[in-house]
Each structure stands twice: as structure tokens, then as C-alpha cells.
Amino acid sequence: MTLLTDALLTETRKRTVRPRTAPPPTPTTRSAVPPLAPGALPGLGHAAALLRDPLGFLGSLSRYGGVVRIRLGPRTVCVVTDARLVHTLLVALAYDCPRGAVQDTLKTAFGDGLLMSEGQAHRDRRRIIQPAFNPDRMAEYLTVMHQVTEERAGRWRPGQVLDVAKEMNHLALEIVTRSLFDARLSEDATLAFHRALPDLVKGQIVQSLYPHPALARVPLPVNRRFDAAVRVLNRVVDQAVNGRSGPAGSQARPERRGTLPALLRAATDPATGRPLTEADVRSEAITMFGAGTETVSTTLTWLLDELLRHPEVEARLLAELDEHLPVGAAPTPEALARLSYTRSVTQEVVRLHAPNAFLMRTAQVPVELGPYRVPAGTELLYSLTALHRDPVRHPEPLAFRPERWQDGGGAGRPSFLPFGAGKHKCIGEAFAWAELTVAAAAILRRWRPVAVPGARAREVVWTTVQAQGLRVRLAPRSAAVAGATAASAGAPAGAPATSTASVASPGDAAGAERTAAGGCPFTGATAAPAAPSRHRPPAELRASADRHADWAVRHGLLTPAELPRYRTYALHELIGLAFPTTRGGELDLLVDMLGWFTILDDRFDGPPGRRPVEARALVDPLVSALDSGAPAGTADDRLLTAWRELWDRQTETMSPAWRARAAREWRACLATFPAEAEHRSRGTVPALGLSLTETMRLRRHGSCAYPFMNILERVHGADAPAALHAEPALHRLRANTADAATLINDLYSLEREERQSAAAFNTVLTLQRVRGCTRSRAVRAVRTRVSRLRQENEELRRELGRRHPAGRWYLDGTRELVSAVHAWTSTSDRYLVPDAQPR
């Protein structure tokens, strides 16, 4: 059993079954025996596969049928893989198939509460508890949720590294305690609760697999830890139920009407006519603590992790919050109803990271599930995680795409069951959705989380799918927001917001935008790591980076001594994010292209960037190579030789139309280098001869975004539709994409370019010169422009996607490109300024 427990706790990667276009074939006759999954081992059955990769194994079973038999040692379990059949199991067959062995373990420990009861007892108890979750209570709960989150977030400090899972656990527990129990737990009780939960869950899993219940009473280590966890949780719940805010024995407060304990103590048991016992009250309380803490905190952790990986989603979410929720004010039910995109984001997090790895039912009588016959006594298992990652029901199941929920898509359908269905559907569903939104809004309006390198969330499978390992460094969202939220958290009027005192001093014009040397003016914090690609092994991307380093040295573009510094740029990570499905030779080509362009760009930090003649001598042969090749004896034959090879590799197998388009975009890109050198030599730099509009038009092509948008077609294996290329709206979308990439680069490279002796073509610096504004105001203006460009592009994508559905992959690729630039620039050392370098 120790082996079984340890294996179930093994970290797993998100997996899904191989894509298919239709549900698996089902037997043509009714009452068929479910098929047996292949791969059973003598004596072990499928236990080894389940232990090695629980989610991957359960997700793979759908290819064999809607109900599939597996063997776990001597036991046979039927896994229900079809969402419609799971819905049938939970609704139509709810009375014939009560909860299984996993829940029975908790029933023994905590009594016959709402979570564990069945039949009439369950209906009676649900009727008693329901008033605590009626809609008329929601406004009060929203106020408490907001206040609790603001208080906790107000104790955080700029630059603090946060263990997200731990903080979200504490936050969710405090929200449940304050909202439903009108109580406050001591810090010791809170810590004890969270320390006890793992032992409770591990013991629950192991004891449910015992061949005989008597084994739960054997003094094995796992059983002892389970019993100790039960005692701890009972003590913590007693503290909340009795309204004490301190250790046991302290003075209890009068019980407020409407709280969950008050409802329970005022009720009678319909079966006996007697008041509920304190054991009944404790049983329901422990249900609310368990169900209302772990799943919500896990989902909040995944939400923050996904926003770190998808900054464009975060920007759009924040824009919606700014529009509908006043900063620092407690939300109302009406305000939450207007947050349609925020709801789509939370739904997508819950779909992709469904907290229930597996749940069980037991057929008490023979039942039929679709075409399958299930004998009495059969254990039935289903995984919400696997159901929600079914590519038939949810296309591109591992992609985080909140837009799949817009316009009513997917919500409320049998294929989306985050809170169950039927008579056992979670009674606190509305409470949980509201808690996710309110807590996320309060945190994100105050703080900008920046991932700590090597500390992203990872899946750990128990009976639930945990999010562990995510750590973030906190950066203030802005001085104004931080001050407002601190005031709402309880600061007296006119008093300084002590929780954000270090955000900005009165004499610092940059305020929250300014950090220590090497910090990022876009995020307000030190660099965050790029999100790893979900479509290829990380080792493959690293191997491509190694091959690129060899390629660059072999072509003489870099010396071995220059490699260590160059590799800290992590250019392969940018390619991995922008082209998440590319592999093999195509991946090597893209990494080599970006590396070559970066090395070329670095040349212009030196004399060619200020001397037009040298700049043209460097660039003209490269442009000529796009047509008929360059003449011999150029200023830098190494760059030219490598470029000729890259151009041949790019254009191989591509259409003449694509070659012409790619050549045109590369000419425009390369021409920006001598143009900028010309302006520097003449002194007609931005604001001193060049307007902001002219500067953006010049630099639009200088980021190489256009050539890499063209590469989308190379990666896809076909040109985008000609009718799409002819659309003026596509031209605007491409220009917006290039502008957004340029502006993001300007924000991250700002501090480095401020220290250059030569005039830098940086939009923030240009705004300061043109408008005579502070650095802080210029940064905010550029950030606002990036957000607007992204918003406009989403509208253009929807419009173009309706007219040209065959080119949707190209439109989506432009979004990935900007998101990748944002994520990578917060990771790469390319723009960091050494602390020792003077201003």
C-alpha cells in the first residue's frame, strides 16, 4: 500500500487522448459488456499504468468505449469515459449508484453529512443547508470575500516571493470561515488545518483500496497519520463552529443568525424530530471546510499560473475589471454579472484544471449506461479532468482558450461538469464562482505576479489534481491602485497605506514603474521565466538551442567566449512560445533565424548604428541575396554566408507568392538599420525631426515581426488563403502585431537604452521628448497603447475569422507571436542592466 500511495502522489504532466473527430464506436446491441482495456498485467492488472500516470491513463481509455473495464489487482472497475454517460450516472442513476469507497472512508471519520449521505437523509440535510446559499445572501458574501482578500493581499510587500498554493489555501479557508461561520481562525489553527489535509487525503485513498475495512484499524503509519489528521480537523472546525477566535477555552461569541452553524442548530432532523446534534453540526462544517477550501485554492493557483503564461488574457481581464468594478469597492451581484470575459477565463481554468482527478460510484443494482450493462456491485469511476480534456468535446483540449466559453459556448452542457450534476451537485457552486472572481480581481488589481525562475505550477495527483510549486515575486500594479485597495482594506481616511508604503515615494516621479537596476518597467519587477511549451518536450527545445549555438560558432557569428552571455538571451524560448507545435528541422530553422537577426541587431549597437555608410555596407549585400545573391568581398562575409543559407532553408518548398512576400518583408526589415543610422548621423532622431507617427512607421518593420508572421505559413505547411491576404483588415492586424511587439520591446529595453550614448529609437523616450512628460507617464501611455492594439486585434480576428474560417490558424498565430514576445522579454537577460553599471 505504501507503493500505491507514493505512486498516486507522483507528479504528472497534462495529457489527453489522441485527437479524434467523433465519439468512439459503441456496440450495436444493447446491454453489452463494457470492453476490457488492453495492457493488463498478471496479478496487477492496470494498476501499474494507473499509478505511473493517473491522468494520462484515464484519459486514454476513451478510445476504447464510453465505459471501459480495468483491473486493479483482483478488483474490476468500470471507468466511464463519455461525458453524456457520466451525466446519466449522476442524474438518472443517482439513486441506484451511490457514492463509492473513497467517500465511505470520510463517512467513517466525519459522520453522515451532506457530502457523505445518500437518499432521504441527503435530501433532508440539503434542505436545511440550502438557505445559507440562497441568492439573497450573495451580496453579503461578496463583501466578506472582498474584505478578506484585501486584508490578506494588504499584508504582502513589493518584491516578496509568494508561495501561491499556500497563500491561496489560507485565503480560501479564511473566506469560508468568515462568510459561512462568521468566525476567525487563529494562525496556528489555520496552519494545522493545511498540514493535516495531505495526510487526510492520502489516508482516504489508501483506506478506500483496502480489501477489508478492518485494515483501517491496523496501526500502520498511513492509518495513524490519517487518524491524527481527523483529530486536528475536528479541533479546527470546533473553533470555527463555536465562534472562537483564539485557542480552545477562550470566550465564545454570541452566534449570529443566518450563519451555517445557526441554521443547523435551529433545525430538526425530519427522521427523528429531534434537533441536530453537535456531531451533525461538525460533520456539515467539515464538509464546507474541505469542499470550499481545497478546490477553490487550487483553481486560484492555476488561474494565476495561466495568466502568467498568457499576458494578453490578463490584460483583457484587467480591462474588463476596470470597466465594471470600481477600484477598492466590494463587488455586487450585478457587477459580477457584467464580467463576461472574466467568467470565461475562470471557466477555462476550471475546464483545463478540473480539480477532481477521479470520483467513484457503486452500482447497487444492475444498471445500463447507454449500450452497456453494468452488474450490481460494480465500482464505477470517472475523471472530470479526463472528461474536460476530451478533444471531441473540447477542441485543442490542452490549449488555454477563454474565448471557447464566449457566446454561451460550452457552459451548462453535459460535457462540462465542474461541480457535478444531479442531486449531489455541489450546493456551493454559485459561492465558488463568485469567490474565484472576487479573489482574483482583488489580487490582480493590487499586485502584478511575476513568476520566479524554475517555480511554475505543476500537477500532483491525489484524489484531486493539486497545483504545487508556483512561486511569484510581487510587483505593485500601480501606486494609485495599491493605495486605494489599502484604504478599502481598513486604513483610516487620510492615513498612509502602510502595506504599500514602499511602492513610491513622493519624490519619485516614476512611482511604481521604477524598480531596482535590472528591473522591468513593463511588469515592475525582475524578469520572469518564459512558460514552457506544452506541445513538445522541454529537452527538445534545449537541444535545438544547443544545435543553434554550434551553428553560430561554425559560421563565425560568435566566438566560444561570447556564447555564455549570448545563451542567457534564451532565444529558443521565444521560438518555443511563438511556435508551440514546431519540431525537428523546422524548429532549428526558426531558432537559427532569430539568432542570426539578434546577432545582426547587436552589430548596430556599435559604429554601424551611427555611421550610415557602414550600415549600408553591412545591409545591402543581405538585401541583394534575396534576389540574385550578393557580390563577393562584403564587409561581413560571415553574416552574408549564414544569411544565404537561412534564405534557402526558409524558401524551400514555398510558393512563389510566399517567396515574393517574404523577400518584400525582409527588405523592409533590413532597411530600418541604415535608416536609423542616417537619422542618428543627422540628428533627426525621434522628436528632433521625426514625429512619433513617422518613428512607428519606420520601426514597424525593424522588429522582424513581419518575417516571422510569414513563417507561420511555412510552419503550417501552406499559404494562408489569398483572399485573406487581400483583406485591408489583415494588413491592419499585421501592423498592430508588429507595433505591439515593438512597444513591448521598448518597455523592457528602456533602462538599457536610457544609458546608451547614441540616441535610442525607443517610444518611451520619444514620448518624453515630444510631450515633455515624466518617464512614468510615458511608460503608462505605451502600456495603454499595447493593450489597445491587442484589443483591436481581437476584434479584427473575430471579423476576419467569420469571413475566412480557413485562415483562422494564421490569425491565431499572430496572437501567439505577441504573447510570446511579452513572455520572453520578461525572462531573457538580453535587456537586463548590470547593477554595477552607472546611470
Side-chain angles (χ1 to χ4, degrees), residues 530-707:
S533 169
R534 298 178 180 177
H535 298 270
R536 72 171 71 81
E540 183 173 347
L541 197 57
R542 292 193 296 270
S544 181
D546 293 339
R547 290 191 293 270
H548 168 66
D550 293 340
W551 179 86
V553 172
R554 187 170 66 252
H555 281 80
L557 302 177
L558 294 170
T559 66
E562 292 172 320
L563 270 181
R565 170 61 182 162
Y566 174 79
R567 297 193 69 153
T568 64
Y569 296 172
L571 299 173
H572 63 287
E573 294 289 352
L574 175 52
I575 295 299
L577 291 162
F579 302 92
T581 61
T582 307
R583 307 184 68 172
E586 294 286 287
L587 179 63
D588 289 348
L589 168 62
L590 299 186
V591 176
D592 289 346
M593 283 175 56
L594 181 61
W596 177 88
F597 181 82
T598 301
I599 293 168
L600 172 68
D601 184 65
D602 285 347
R603 296 287 195 274
F604 289 90
D605 288 340
R610 301 183 297 275
R611 301 171 185 171
V613 174
E614 291 186 26
R616 286 192 293 271
L618 194 58
V619 167
D620 286 350
L622 304 175
V623 173
S624 298
L626 296 169
D627 295 320
S628 57
T634 58
D636 196 335
D637 287 330
R638 293 165 299 177
L639 275 170
L640 177 59
T641 301
W643 173 238
R644 282 172 167 167
E645 177 196 305
L646 287 173
W647 180 243
D648 289 342
R649 288 162 63 191
Q650 287 177 68
T651 56
E652 183 183 15
T653 74
M654 298 306 291
S655 69
W658 186 92
R659 289 173 62 100
R661 191 164 53 247
R664 182 172 63 249
E665 303 299 1
W666 272 118
R667 288 191 194 95
C669 174
L670 295 171
T672 61
F673 291 113
E676 288 186 359
E678 189 75 37
H679 283 294
R680 289 192 186 97
S681 69
R682 294 180 179 179
T684 54
V685 292
L688 298 176
L690 273 179
S691 68
L692 183 60
T693 302
E694 292 170 329
T695 302
M696 286 306 302
R697 188 180 298 117
L698 170 66
R699 301 188 60 230
R700 180 170 292 154
H701 292 273
S703 65
C704 80
Y706 275 102

Side-chain angles (χ1 to χ4, degrees), residues 210-374:
Y210 284 154
H212 193 281
L215 288 175
R217 297 190 294 273
V218 176
L220 299 172
V222 65
N223 291 340
R224 291 200 303 270
R225 288 192 294 268
F226 177 81
D227 293 339
V230 170
R231 291 192 296 271
V232 169
L233 294 181
N234 279 326
R235 286 199 302 269
V236 173
V237 169
D238 282 344
Q239 186 181 123
V241 166
N242 295 326
R244 295 195 300 265
S245 59
S250 61
Q251 185 65 37
R253 298 183 291 105
E255 189 168 70
R256 184 169 62 82
R257 293 182 61 185
T259 64
L260 185 61
L263 287 172
L264 293 168
R265 287 176 175 136
T268 58
D269 186 343
T272 64
R274 298 174 181 173
L276 299 184
T277 66
E278 284 302 304
D280 292 328
V281 175
R282 177 192 291 155
S283 178
E284 300 306 342
I286 197 69
T287 296
M288 296 305 158
F289 270 76
T293 299
E294 185 178 17
T295 55
V296 171
S297 65
T298 298
T299 303
L300 279 171
T301 303
W302 282 123
L303 172 61
L304 293 179
D305 186 73
E306 291 295 349
L307 293 181
L308 286 168
R309 299 175 189 271
H310 299 87
E312 76 286 357
V313 174
E314 181 190 44
R316 186 172 174 187
L317 185 148
L318 286 169
E320 184 177 72
L321 294 177
D322 288 341
E323 181 178 357
H324 296 297
L325 287 184
V327 173
T332 63
E334 295 74 20
L336 290 191
R338 293 192 292 268
L339 300 176
S340 60
Y341 184 73
T342 304
R343 179 60 177 258
S344 296
V345 172
T346 56
Q347 286 177 316
E348 181 68 349
V349 172
V350 171
R351 181 202 66 80
L352 182 55
H353 303 288
N356 296 112
F358 58 88
L359 296 166
M360 297 184 74
R361 295 289 187 269
T362 301
Q364 290 188 327
V365 298
V367 298
E368 290 187 353
L369 276 172
Y372 303 103
R373 181 179 68 254
V374 177

